[in-house]
Amino acid sequence: MTSAQILPILTYPDPRLHKVAKPVAAAAGLEPRIQQLVADMLATMYDAQGIGLAATQVDVHERLIVIDVSEERNAPLVLINPEILWASPEKVKGDEGCLSVPGVYDGVERSTSVRIKALDDKGASREIEADGLLAVCIQHEMDHLMGKVFVEYLSPLKRTRIKSKMAKAEREAAGQR
Ligand code: K1U
Ligand code: ZN
């Protein structure tokens, strides 16, 4: 494996963010290509100071997410082919951000707890029960794998404003290049 690379993160409203990810091929958790992708995605998430990252956001359309909600930034969680087994009917509305929509934070309603099944980076099957920020982050990242960005929960008016803001930021960045 070569040293971990920082990957470019797609920004909303890039149409590639709406692709539906395919499962990682069975037992591929151990393949060098997946190990390298996991290392690159973790490096990219830590570099961007995010608490999660889905493969979709780095233009890889396979069901793989990385998460670290620890304060110390030393508890990486790798979820390959994650599936929600159960989501609590109890919901909570909290502010979310997204590395693909920089500078935008808004409220989204999510289940307070989830139970999921996924492969880890060694290809072993795991079941995880999550609540709090971890549960919210898992739901946010699993939406990315389905091609859904959190701003799609917001009103059409807010989405239009966010698209204008992103276009302005892109024009300014292009002017500085
Ligand atoms: O998927 C992503 O773009 C990562 C995203 C995850 C996320 C944050 C907040 C709620 C749900 C999912 C981020 O890491 S955004 C930046 C961030 O570090 C952050 C924002 C709000 C609260 C905690 C962290
Ligand atoms: Zn996101």
Side-chain angles (χ1 to χ4, degrees):
M1 189 163 74
T2 56
S3 61
Q5 307 286 308
I6 308 299
L7 305 172
I9 298 176
L10 299 177
T11 52
Y12 184 80
D14 191 309
R16 291 170 290 180
L17 285 169
H18 303 303
K19 286 190 178 182
V20 177
K22 295 198 163 60
V24 172
L30 297 172
E31 276 182 10
R33 180 181 71 87
I34 298 296
Q35 297 288 1
Q36 183 71 53
L37 178 60
V38 166
D40 292 349
M41 283 177 59
L42 283 168
T44 304
M45 176 188 73
Y46 288 125
D47 179 69
Q49 293 171 6
I51 56 169
L53 187 70
T56 307
Q57 294 175 277
V58 293
D59 203 19
V60 176
H61 302 282
E62 296 181 65
R63 293 185 60 80
L64 199 163
I65 65 188
V66 295
I67 291 178
D68 190 344
V69 293
S70 70
E71 296 239 326
E72 302 77 15
R73 315 290 285 147
N74 63 359
L77 190 59
V78 176
L79 303 175
I80 298 171
N81 295 340
E83 285 171 54
I84 298 220
L85 300 175
W86 173 82
S88 67
E90 189 193 349
K91 311 263 184 183
V92 62
K93 188 170 183 176
D95 268 6
E96 295 191 13
C98 182
L99 299 175
S100 294
V101 198
V104 173
Y105 296 87
D106 214 321
V108 176
E109 192 174 84
R110 302 280 190 187
S111 289
T112 56
S113 322
V114 290
R115 188 163 62 245
I116 62 155
K117 187 173 116 176
L119 302 179
D120 67 16
D121 57 336
K122 311 271 184 305
S125 183
R126 296 181 57 184
E127 277 194 25
I128 296 171
E129 268 207 56
D131 56 15
L133 185 57
L134 179 57
V136 170
C137 192
I138 287 172
Q139 292 169 81
H140 176 113
E141 302 310 333
M142 288 186 70
D143 271 354
H144 275 305
L145 299 181
M146 296 306 295
K148 186 160 185 170
V149 180
F150 88 103
V151 297
E152 287 164 57
Y153 290 104
L154 309 179
S155 70
L157 176 63
K158 279 189 177 177
R159 273 207 307 280
T160 303
R161 286 186 178 151
I162 290 165
K163 281 182 188 164
S164 306
K165 180 176 170 162
M166 299 298 293
K168 185 168 175 243
E170 179 53 39
R171 279 196 304 278
E172 283 168 5
Q176 284 161 16
R177 286 200 285 263

